[in-house]
Amino acid sequence: MCAGTARAQNASSTWTICTRGLELIETIVIEADEKQIVTVDGFGVRRTLSTDSIFFAIPTPAAHQQADRAAQEQVFGPVDESNATKYIVLSDGQVIKGRIGDSFDADKLAITVYTGTTIRSGATIPLESILTIADAPMAMSNEPIADTDSIVTLNSDVLRGFIESVRTTTSISVGRDVLDIPLTQISTISFANIPERIAGVYVSTNDDLHLRVSSFDFDFVHPLTIDIDSASLGLASSARDVWLLDPNAPARIKIVHPSQRMVSLCSIVPELVEPTGDRDWTPAPTVIRNDSNPVLGTIDLHAPVRAVYPLPKGATRFACDLIAPINTWTDCIAKVYSISYAGQRTELLNEQLNADHSSHSLNVELESDTAKIEIRIDPGEFGPVQDRVLLVHPRVLIES
């Protein structure tokens, strides 16, 4: 095995790469930049993937544990904890962290931006460009946009209204009253702003930053180099556009394509759930979420069931793995259909799952007028007992 391979295995472990064809690839990443990702398999065979050909690449959780704080403090010195660091999620999905100061403009947030324990720059961000400000990292939510701003205090009180300003003391209008709340008593601030989807390359780090970059470069030996979009982060004009971060900082690469996106069936509420066979009742499907990426979630079909999921307009491909956890009586028929807007059903899969054949992978094109996906599990030879099926990583390609 070459030195590069050994280095990659020690530094990064296994990554999951999702291509624009919805293929999921488990591999070891050696190095990556804005143009390509270089991987190596267990036999030492190298492969290069264009970043334009993927949706995302993420390492296993063990591969992006946060760096040892004591080691960082030896380099940068201790962090001043007098003003707690907040995570700021912007409407374009970027996430930065910093310490909030007192802005002269009530419509803008003034912060000192940090990476790890390094002060990067001062920043001024319009409140209309912010989704959340929180003590802990928060991802963009799939929940409907709220009608009002809100504040959640440390003792879990929720205040809804219009946020006037965010400073060391934050003001919110609630009805006719304006309440001033010290920032130290606030857990989360949420704004009723509309999320944006901006095409580009995004890099996440092991301290939960998520940044749109024009270029990046890492090999797990030299510092991660990223060329950030300073203007979108509201950084001071004197700030450096190129940041150098810890060699083990890379935690995710995400490509937002102009005309393609991917959604998980886990994020869609089924419009119909009914039992199959001779059962009168069936438990509702359960979603097993994946914190690293929503697309890597799983739907647990506990018993024979027919579940119909409405899809966003423009669905062109569907992929998943169907796995039956084998028990003594496990034997069922797994079927998948696409349903058009006119109600026409097309069979995509019809497979028996039992001890001899416990799983099946599906990755198929959909007709241009596909409106729904139907998952149907029918009892087999031994009836409905122990006919449980996991719908692993069910994902849909949406094109516009």
Side-chain angles (χ1 to χ4, degrees), residues 75-90:
V75 179
F76 301 112
V79 180
D80 177 11
E81 299 289 0
S82 59
N83 179 19
T85 298
K86 300 287 186 180
Y87 288 86
I88 296 97
V89 181
L90 305 182

PDB file of all heavy atoms in Angstrom, residues 75-90:
ATOM      1  N   VAL A  75      -1.591  26.569  20.478  1.00  0.00           N
ATOM      2  CA  VAL A  75      -1.248  27.356  19.294  1.00  0.00           C
ATOM      3  C   VAL A  75      -1.849  28.749  19.351  1.00  0.00           C
ATOM      4  O   VAL A  75      -1.183  29.740  19.108  1.00  0.00           O
ATOM      5  CB  VAL A  75      -1.737  26.634  18.017  1.00  0.00           C
ATOM      6  CG1 VAL A  75      -1.409  27.460  16.773  1.00  0.00           C
ATOM      7  CG2 VAL A  75      -1.096  25.251  17.914  1.00  0.00           C
ATOM      8  N   PHE A  76      -3.146  28.810  19.701  1.00  0.00           N
ATOM      9  CA  PHE A  76      -3.863  30.077  19.594  1.00  0.00           C
ATOM     10  C   PHE A  76      -4.089  30.783  20.925  1.00  0.00           C
ATOM     11  O   PHE A  76      -4.474  31.947  20.947  1.00  0.00           O
ATOM     12  CB  PHE A  76      -5.236  29.835  18.939  1.00  0.00           C
ATOM     13  CG  PHE A  76      -5.127  29.235  17.572  1.00  0.00           C
ATOM     14  CD1 PHE A  76      -5.544  27.934  17.335  1.00  0.00           C
ATOM     15  CD2 PHE A  76      -4.625  29.971  16.512  1.00  0.00           C
ATOM     16  CE1 PHE A  76      -5.457  27.386  16.064  1.00  0.00           C
ATOM     17  CE2 PHE A  76      -4.537  29.421  15.251  1.00  0.00           C
ATOM     18  CZ  PHE A  76      -4.951  28.121  15.026  1.00  0.00           C
ATOM     19  N   GLY A  77      -3.890  30.077  22.062  1.00  0.00           N
ATOM     20  CA  GLY A  77      -4.204  30.674  23.342  1.00  0.00           C
ATOM     21  C   GLY A  77      -5.636  30.375  23.735  1.00  0.00           C
ATOM     22  O   GLY A  77      -6.449  29.970  22.920  1.00  0.00           O
ATOM     23  N   PRO A  78      -5.961  30.548  25.018  1.00  0.00           N
ATOM     24  CA  PRO A  78      -7.313  30.222  25.495  1.00  0.00           C
ATOM     25  C   PRO A  78      -8.372  31.150  24.914  1.00  0.00           C
ATOM     26  O   PRO A  78      -8.093  32.273  24.530  1.00  0.00           O
ATOM     27  CB  PRO A  78      -7.194  30.415  27.020  1.00  0.00           C
ATOM     28  CG  PRO A  78      -6.058  31.375  27.187  1.00  0.00           C
ATOM     29  CD  PRO A  78      -5.100  31.075  26.085  1.00  0.00           C
ATOM     30  N   VAL A  79      -9.597  30.639  24.842  1.00  0.00           N
ATOM     31  CA  VAL A  79     -10.711  31.407  24.316  1.00  0.00           C
ATOM     32  C   VAL A  79     -11.370  32.190  25.442  1.00  0.00           C
ATOM     33  O   VAL A  79     -11.575  31.677  26.533  1.00  0.00           O
ATOM     34  CB  VAL A  79     -11.748  30.461  23.675  1.00  0.00           C
ATOM     35  CG1 VAL A  79     -12.921  31.246  23.112  1.00  0.00           C
ATOM     36  CG2 VAL A  79     -11.100  29.636  22.591  1.00  0.00           C
ATOM     37  N   ASP A  80     -11.722  33.438  25.180  1.00  0.00           N
ATOM     38  CA  ASP A  80     -12.462  34.254  26.124  1.00  0.00           C
ATOM     39  C   ASP A  80     -13.919  33.818  26.118  1.00  0.00           C
ATOM     40  O   ASP A  80     -14.607  33.967  25.115  1.00  0.00           O
ATOM     41  CB  ASP A  80     -12.338  35.732  25.726  1.00  0.00           C
ATOM     42  CG  ASP A  80     -13.167  36.636  26.637  1.00  0.00           C
ATOM     43  OD1 ASP A  80     -13.641  36.152  27.675  1.00  0.00           O
ATOM     44  OD2 ASP A  80     -13.320  37.818  26.284  1.00  0.00           O
ATOM     45  N   GLU A  81     -14.400  33.251  27.241  1.00  0.00           N
ATOM     46  CA  GLU A  81     -15.753  32.744  27.312  1.00  0.00           C
ATOM     47  C   GLU A  81     -16.728  33.755  27.906  1.00  0.00           C
ATOM     48  O   GLU A  81     -17.870  33.429  28.210  1.00  0.00           O
ATOM     49  CB  GLU A  81     -15.792  31.451  28.167  1.00  0.00           C
ATOM     50  CG  GLU A  81     -14.958  30.320  27.608  1.00  0.00           C
ATOM     51  CD  GLU A  81     -15.559  29.718  26.346  1.00  0.00           C
ATOM     52  OE1 GLU A  81     -16.623  30.184  25.908  1.00  0.00           O
ATOM     53  OE2 GLU A  81     -14.946  28.789  25.808  1.00  0.00           O
ATOM     54  N   SER A  82     -16.325  35.017  28.080  1.00  0.00           N
ATOM     55  CA  SER A  82     -17.192  36.006  28.706  1.00  0.00           C
ATOM     56  C   SER A  82     -18.411  36.309  27.844  1.00  0.00           C
ATOM     57  O   SER A  82     -19.446  36.707  28.356  1.00  0.00           O
ATOM     58  CB  SER A  82     -16.410  37.292  28.984  1.00  0.00           C
ATOM     59  OG  SER A  82     -15.886  37.819  27.777  1.00  0.00           O
ATOM     60  N   ASN A  83     -18.310  36.147  26.532  1.00  0.00           N
ATOM     61  CA  ASN A  83     -19.441  36.359  25.632  1.00  0.00           C
ATOM     62  C   ASN A  83     -19.565  35.113  24.772  1.00  0.00           C
ATOM     63  O   ASN A  83     -18.745  34.878  23.899  1.00  0.00           O
ATOM     64  CB  ASN A  83     -19.213  37.607  24.773  1.00  0.00           C
ATOM     65  CG  ASN A  83     -20.364  37.853  23.814  1.00  0.00           C
ATOM     66  OD1 ASN A  83     -21.457  37.334  24.013  1.00  0.00           O
ATOM     67  ND2 ASN A  83     -20.120  38.639  22.792  1.00  0.00           N
ATOM     68  N   ALA A  84     -20.579  34.282  25.052  1.00  0.00           N
ATOM     69  CA  ALA A  84     -20.660  32.963  24.432  1.00  0.00           C
ATOM     70  C   ALA A  84     -20.730  33.059  22.918  1.00  0.00           C
ATOM     71  O   ALA A  84     -21.387  33.920  22.358  1.00  0.00           O
ATOM     72  CB  ALA A  84     -21.872  32.218  24.970  1.00  0.00           C
ATOM     73  N   THR A  85     -20.059  32.110  22.259  1.00  0.00           N
ATOM     74  CA  THR A  85     -20.100  32.025  20.798  1.00  0.00           C
ATOM     75  C   THR A  85     -21.482  31.568  20.351  1.00  0.00           C
ATOM     76  O   THR A  85     -22.079  30.670  20.931  1.00  0.00           O
ATOM     77  CB  THR A  85     -19.044  31.030  20.309  1.00  0.00           C
ATOM     78  OG1 THR A  85     -17.755  31.487  20.689  1.00  0.00           O
ATOM     79  CG2 THR A  85     -19.088  30.899  18.800  1.00  0.00           C
ATOM     80  N   LYS A  86     -21.997  32.196  19.293  1.00  0.00           N
ATOM     81  CA  LYS A  86     -23.282  31.824  18.725  1.00  0.00           C
ATOM     82  C   LYS A  86     -23.074  31.295  17.315  1.00  0.00           C
ATOM     83  O   LYS A  86     -22.157  31.726  16.604  1.00  0.00           O
ATOM     84  CB  LYS A  86     -24.230  33.037  18.667  1.00  0.00           C
ATOM     85  CG  LYS A  86     -24.523  33.670  20.012  1.00  0.00           C
ATOM     86  CD  LYS A  86     -25.454  32.818  20.848  1.00  0.00           C
ATOM     87  CE  LYS A  86     -25.854  33.541  22.116  1.00  0.00           C
ATOM     88  NZ  LYS A  86     -26.776  32.731  22.951  1.00  0.00           N
ATOM     89  N   TYR A  87     -23.931  30.364  16.913  1.00  0.00           N
ATOM     90  CA  TYR A  87     -23.935  29.870  15.541  1.00  0.00           C
ATOM     91  C   TYR A  87     -25.012  30.624  14.772  1.00  0.00           C
ATOM     92  O   TYR A  87     -26.153  30.710  15.210  1.00  0.00           O
ATOM     93  CB  TYR A  87     -24.202  28.371  15.504  1.00  0.00           C
ATOM     94  CG  TYR A  87     -23.038  27.552  16.003  1.00  0.00           C
ATOM     95  CD1 TYR A  87     -22.888  27.278  17.364  1.00  0.00           C
ATOM     96  CD2 TYR A  87     -22.087  27.050  15.118  1.00  0.00           C
ATOM     97  CE1 TYR A  87     -21.819  26.534  17.831  1.00  0.00           C
ATOM     98  CE2 TYR A  87     -21.012  26.306  15.580  1.00  0.00           C
ATOM     99  CZ  TYR A  87     -20.879  26.053  16.930  1.00  0.00           C
ATOM    100  OH  TYR A  87     -19.819  25.315  17.391  1.00  0.00           O
ATOM    101  N   ILE A  88     -24.633  31.150  13.610  1.00  0.00           N
ATOM    102  CA  ILE A  88     -25.549  31.937  12.795  1.00  0.00           C
ATOM    103  C   ILE A  88     -25.791  31.191  11.490  1.00  0.00           C
ATOM    104  O   ILE A  88     -24.849  30.922  10.732  1.00  0.00           O
ATOM    105  CB  ILE A  88     -24.987  33.347  12.513  1.00  0.00           C
ATOM    106  CG1 ILE A  88     -24.843  34.126  13.810  1.00  0.00           C
ATOM    107  CG2 ILE A  88     -25.896  34.111  11.557  1.00  0.00           C
ATOM    108  CD1 ILE A  88     -23.471  34.113  14.400  1.00  0.00           C
ATOM    109  N   VAL A  89     -27.059  30.819  11.235  1.00  0.00           N
ATOM    110  CA  VAL A  89     -27.441  30.181   9.984  1.00  0.00           C
ATOM    111  C   VAL A  89     -28.024  31.253   9.072  1.00  0.00           C
ATOM    112  O   VAL A  89     -29.006  31.908   9.416  1.00  0.00           O
ATOM    113  CB  VAL A  89     -28.485  29.069  10.203  1.00  0.00           C
ATOM    114  CG1 VAL A  89     -28.848  28.411   8.868  1.00  0.00           C
ATOM    115  CG2 VAL A  89     -27.955  28.014  11.173  1.00  0.00           C
ATOM    116  N   LEU A  90     -27.388  31.452   7.917  1.00  0.00           N
ATOM    117  CA  LEU A  90     -27.835  32.464   6.975  1.00  0.00           C
ATOM    118  C   LEU A  90     -28.901  31.896   6.044  1.00  0.00           C
ATOM    119  O   LEU A  90     -29.050  30.675   5.913  1.00  0.00           O
ATOM    120  CB  LEU A  90     -26.643  32.988   6.172  1.00  0.00           C
ATOM    121  CG  LEU A  90     -25.477  33.534   7.001  1.00  0.00           C
ATOM    122  CD1 LEU A  90     -24.385  34.071   6.077  1.00  0.00           C
ATOM    123  CD2 LEU A  90     -25.937  34.633   7.949  1.00  0.00           C
TER     124      LEU A  90
END
